[in-house]
Amino acid sequence: MFFDKMETLDDLFEMQLKDLYSAETQLVKALPMMAEKAKDGRLRAGFERHLRETEKQVERLERIGKNLNLDLDGHTCKAMAGLIAEGQETMSERATDEVMDAALIAASQRIEHYEISGYGTAAHFAERLGHNEAADLLRQTLEEEQLTDTKLNELAKNYLNAKAM
């Protein structure tokens, strides 16, 4: 935990922001490895596109931190660390290219679902606390994460999973 005691929704909101910031900065480091491991060109391009998007999401979080006078550094999101570790473990497995691509999508969707949950919660907290600009920025990222999940799902269901059979 980041606080000796969380007493207010503001405290919890700050904790959520720090967790998201850590999660996104970890993901910025992991996405190039995922792109490199992907054999399908569409999947690789999707990872590369999401890396650029994630870098912008980090910038949004930094903007929120600056606007609210919060230091978002100094915390490690253990959930994201675990999700990335599982993904790295999967990437070290021996698999056909098609099965590896399907596995990369599965790992990526776990990450996206975690982020969707975090951003939805943080956006609601920001709104309740009257941090309207922060709420708008968090909702923008939430929409991007949801769209990424949808694209991954479509790529898996309509193409890559069938190739992996």
Side-chain angles (χ1 to χ4, degrees), residues 93-145:
E93 295 289 332
R94 290 183 58 220
T96 65
D97 291 348
E98 296 81 10
V99 171
M100 181 56 67
D101 284 345
L104 287 167
I105 287 178
S108 298
Q109 286 194 283
R110 284 184 185 90
I111 289 169
E112 291 308 313
H113 293 184
Y114 178 74
E115 291 178 309
I116 288 166
S117 173
Y119 279 104
T121 299
H124 176 74
F125 290 168
E127 188 177 308
R128 295 285 298 179
L129 293 165
H131 302 309
N132 296 328
E133 182 182 355
D136 289 343
L137 292 169
L138 292 164
R139 278 194 293 272
Q140 182 180 349
T141 298
L142 174 61
E143 289 171 9
E144 291 169 352
E145 300 296 4

